[in-house]
Amino acid sequence: MTSYPSWGEHTSALEVAKTYAQQIQGRNVLITGVAPEGVGEGTATAFASQKPAILILVSRTKAKIDSVALSIRSSYPDVDVRSITIDLASQTSIRKAAAEVTSLIVKLDILVNNAGATYNTRRWTIEGIEMQFGANHIGPFLFTKLLFPLFKKAAREQPAGATRIINLSSHGHRLSTIRFHDYNIENKEVPPEEKPFSPLPPAFGRVLEDGYMPTVAYGQSKTANILFTLYLQEHAKNKGITSYAVHPGGVTSHLGREHDEEMADAIAKTSKYWKTPDEGASTTLVAALDPKLNEGGGLYLADCQFFPTAEFAQDPEIAQRLWHLSEDLIGEKFCLE
């Protein structure tokens, strides 16, 4: 249970930040996927409101980060805000961004892997990985791996569990487990345990001529975010580091800008209430800051409270298989010891 069971879908991230001001002040925070009018901006603004030591904003488009940074400096002129560009679909870009981070700070207290993308047609990362799996999971996996020494340094100076890695997922994870036999979503035959949720609504079950299933690909990537979190929880805890996955809720943003009318209509029906970016960021802030979560007690949060996941998203064996696959796809081991 969290410290404030009364918080929910209408809770403001600014309110959460104010409540947990002591957990922000003087700490280094990094947020990926920061862009105007999105959950990333809501998250960054909430953290900035309570005087972090350094707030690092990371995203693909420099103009978008600079716009958010300018807004934050205008509202909170005393905050040290830094901007770094990254392309999570390029492992070269990820390594360059991680090197920039390590040149700025010697420790990292909170990482919010907020960046995410969804596409209607097949795309590939630079390394030839299906784009949604590559940019939504493999990219953050590598970025977190490269920054892990900074977490270990921070954790030595904080109570156990206060150093945190927050991974944004979605209730959409229920649409698909990890397709180990077809992670690039080429509509290959997979064993029964890797098949998507059935029956899928027509828009979500769409199969393109090249075999690509856009919504299944998205669901797989969001399951990967939770399984990544599960593995971190189990294997990083002895370093004083913990991790949580969050569902921000239905948020009015530009995430689904490429959807056609049929898909947009299907997605619109998945939420009765569409949040503002500030409301959409509140669950992230709870996951990152609530001192009661230092001791664990859950894996996945939605509307500021712990929420159940699909069974396959909390299976340690699947998490371990995904970890090893992810290591293979970045070409190196991610050792938490």
Side-chain angles (χ1 to χ4, degrees), residues 27 108-111 144 147-166 229-244 293-296 334-337:
R27 303 182 79 198
L108 180 57
D109 298 284
I110 298 169
L111 168 64
T144 303
L147 299 179
F148 202 72
L150 303 184
F151 297 121
K152 291 194 287 187
K153 177 68 165 59
R156 287 195 286 268
E157 302 173 10
Q158 296 288 336
T163 302
R164 298 186 190 170
I165 299 164
I166 308 304
T229 302
L230 178 65
Y231 195 94
L232 285 169
Q233 280 193 350
E234 181 59 31
H235 296 275
K237 62 184 178 183
N238 64 338
K239 300 295 184 185
I241 301 164
T242 196
S243 183
Y244 292 101
L293 274 57
N294 284 0
E295 301 173 1
F334 183 173
C335 182
L336 297 175
E337 302 305 322

Side-chain angles (χ1 to χ4, degrees), residues 30-219:
L30 189 154
I31 307 161
T32 69
V34 176
E37 301 177 1
V39 174
E41 180 176 36
T43 304
T45 302
F47 274 111
S49 72
Q50 301 302 325
K51 302 179 181 178
I54 299 179
L55 179 63
I56 303 176
L57 311 182
V58 180
S59 197
R60 185 175 58 181
T61 308
K62 185 177 186 301
K64 291 182 178 180
I65 317 175
D66 289 346
S67 175
V68 175
L70 181 64
S71 175
I72 288 174
R73 292 186 183 109
S74 175
S75 299
Y76 308 104
D78 295 333
V79 176
D80 186 355
V81 184
R82 308 294 181 93
S83 301
I84 294 175
T85 57
I86 192 172
D87 180 356
L88 287 166
S90 164
Q91 294 183 20
T92 299
S93 174
I94 294 166
R95 294 178 189 281
K96 181 175 181 291
E100 287 188 58
V101 174
T102 55
S103 73
L104 290 177
I105 55 177
V106 297
K107 64 176 183 176
L108 180 57
D109 298 284
I110 298 169
L111 168 64
V112 180
N113 282 316
N114 173 79
T118 177
Y119 298 102
N120 276 343
T121 57
R122 180 182 299 284
R123 300 187 187 186
W124 301 97
T125 68
I126 297 298
E127 292 73 30
I129 304 166
E130 185 277 319
M131 181 65 83
Q132 295 187 79
F133 187 60
N136 291 351
H137 167 63
I138 297 299
F141 179 88
L142 175 59
F143 193 49
T144 303
K145 185 263 182 195
L146 296 171
L147 299 179
F148 202 72
L150 303 184
F151 297 121
K152 291 194 287 187
K153 177 68 165 59
R156 287 195 286 268
E157 302 173 10
Q158 296 288 336
T163 302
R164 298 186 190 170
I165 299 164
I166 308 304
N167 298 312
L168 264 72
S169 181
S170 165
H171 286 346
H173 79 273
R174 298 177 180 278
L175 298 174
S176 181
T177 185
I178 306 301
R179 296 169 63 92
F180 291 102
H181 292 77
D182 185 36
Y183 60 82
N184 278 329
I185 316 296
E186 296 170 295
N187 204 19
K188 296 177 181 177
E189 187 61 35
V190 297
E193 65 271 16
E194 294 181 14
K195 291 184 181 294
F197 176 85
S198 181
L200 288 172
F204 292 166
R206 186 182 298 170
V207 181
L208 305 186
E209 288 185 5
D210 63 356
Y212 190 54
M213 298 174 283
T215 306
V216 170
Y218 179 75

